[in-house]
Amino acid sequence: MAMGLVRVAERASEIGASALQIFSDNPTAWRRRAETPPEAAAFRLRIEELDIRPVAIHAAYLVNLAGPDDDLFGRSVEMIRHELAHAPEFGARFVNVHVGSHRGAGLEAGIDRLVDGLERATDGPFSGPDAPLLVLENSSGGGYAIGSTIEELAMALDQAAARGLDGQLAVCLDVAHLWGAGYDVSRPDVIDRLLEEMDRTIGLKRLVMIHMNDSHSDLGSRRDHHAHLGDGQIGRVGLAHFLCHPALSHVAFYLETPGAENGYDAVNVARLGDLAADRPLTQGPASELPA
Ligand SMILES: [Zn+2]
């Protein structure tokens, strides 16, 4: 946000990125600007010229569609409606949101609430064929978070489908969250089994985004501490297996790795190429990458 939207598009292109995830406004506040920034139109034009797509908007972190508190639930629904309404002004195809937390109310209650929220958030003008997709992201499972397993994601999507929300929803897998949730995605065989399960229960067609992050957290720790690609506990073998998986050629990969403001955005994009080509990993701006 600080860089300015047009500069963001140009930076993405300079470092070799071909897709982009942005925040539409302050990600840690409820307040939204009443008007879309005037720069959004120039941004939309620039990403078209630079052929950067799909663009994803990451919803504010405060959003929780699965919790029991009525006030927070109402604000969360409004926030997602706002993001969906304004996504086209940024040329964004996806609005990415965390599945949310039941806050102790239990999994079933949480999923009921979530599906209610999804229905309200996508109701009305957001259901046409050109409407942006609301993309639900898996969690690492801490703090009563829902959606840390493929099974829970499938439960939520099944219930949403029963209310006719199929066409508006898709799924994002965050690799670091899978790791935190206990999927040993350093192993290709575990990734293959996970994708098979996902295909059986959700359909791989509905997986449209992957957040490509390594992790400093321990396997199954339910924690989520993103690392530079290849520098965390997941490591290059698992990451490369996702990146080059033939069943995932339709999926857009986004980095949420740290240090973008210090040039590590370029390093991690370069590392995607290194992983795909099985080359040694590009080093950081300093000789030692910080933790
Ligand atoms: Zn993520």
Side-chain angles (χ1 to χ4, degrees):
M1 294 301 297
M3 198 187 260
L5 282 167
V6 172
R7 183 71 198 109
V8 164
E10 273 155 12
R11 173 70 182 169
S13 179
E14 276 164 24
I15 65 175
S18 54
L20 182 59
Q21 176 173 284
I22 59 169
F23 294 109
S24 71
D25 203 336
N26 183 349
T28 57
W30 283 111
R31 206 156 50 81
R32 302 283 93 179
R33 284 182 300 252
E35 303 286 329
T36 299
E39 219 194 344
F43 170 76
R44 205 173 60 224
L45 198 67
R46 205 72 189 103
I47 57 169
E48 266 170 43
E49 287 167 354
L50 297 168
D51 199 21
I52 296 172
R53 69 196 150 80
V55 170
I57 289 179
H58 196 298
Y61 293 119
L62 304 166
V63 166
N64 182 14
L65 292 173
D69 183 282
D70 287 330
D71 180 51
L72 282 180
F73 177 76
R75 287 181 188 222
S76 297
V77 167
E78 279 318 302
M79 180 74 93
I80 297 300
R81 287 186 71 81
H82 178 95
E83 301 284 24
L84 286 169
H86 293 282
E89 292 159 28
F90 295 90
R93 177 81 185 109
F94 303 139
V95 171
N96 175 220
V97 63
H98 295 158
V99 173
S101 160
H102 65 67
R103 301 259 184 237
L107 178 63
E108 252 178 71
I111 288 184
D112 276 356
R113 186 70 144 172
L114 168 69
V115 173
D116 248 8
L118 294 173
E119 188 170 35
R120 291 179 200 213
T122 57
D123 187 35
F126 313 122
S127 41
D130 296 326
L133 287 171
L134 186 52
V135 184
L136 302 177
E137 176 173 348
N138 68 312
S139 69
S140 53
Y144 299 117
I146 297 174
S148 63
T149 63
I150 302 301
E151 197 185 347
E152 286 182 14
L153 291 171
M155 282 168 70
L157 286 162
D158 279 352
Q159 292 194 27
R163 300 213 206 159
L165 304 178
D166 260 26
Q168 289 130 277
L169 302 178
V171 179
C172 169
L173 286 181
D174 185 308
V175 177
H177 296 179
L178 287 170
W179 176 262
Y183 292 98
D184 185 356
V185 288
S186 69
R187 291 172 43 184
D189 63 312
V190 171
I191 296 170
D192 287 345
R193 277 206 303 279
L194 169 109
L195 293 178
E196 278 160 27
E197 183 190 353
M198 194 159 177
D199 196 32
R200 230 178 19 251
T201 57
I202 295 172
L204 277 185
K205 257 201 337 242
R206 308 190 66 188
L207 175 62
V208 295
M209 300 173 65
I210 286 185
H211 283 164
M212 188 72 163
N213 305 309
D214 210 330
S215 178
H216 287 302
S217 304
D218 288 335
L219 175 64
S221 61
R222 301 187 166 257
R223 299 174 72 91
D224 174 31
H225 183 186
H226 295 182
H228 300 301
L229 302 185
D231 287 357
Q233 295 204 45
I234 299 171
R236 64 176 301 157
V237 173
L239 294 172
H241 197 68
F242 273 109
L243 188 64
C244 303
H245 204 289
L248 301 180
S249 56
H250 64 292
V251 176
F253 288 72
Y254 300 86
L255 294 166
E256 296 179 323
T257 42
E261 59 288 352
N262 298 322
Y264 287 96
D265 53 349
V267 173
N268 282 296
V269 170
R271 286 185 177 190
L272 291 170
D274 299 335
L275 290 173
D278 202 19
R279 291 187 298 248
L281 295 177
T282 300
Q283 284 305 298
S287 58
E288 283 277 315
L289 288 169

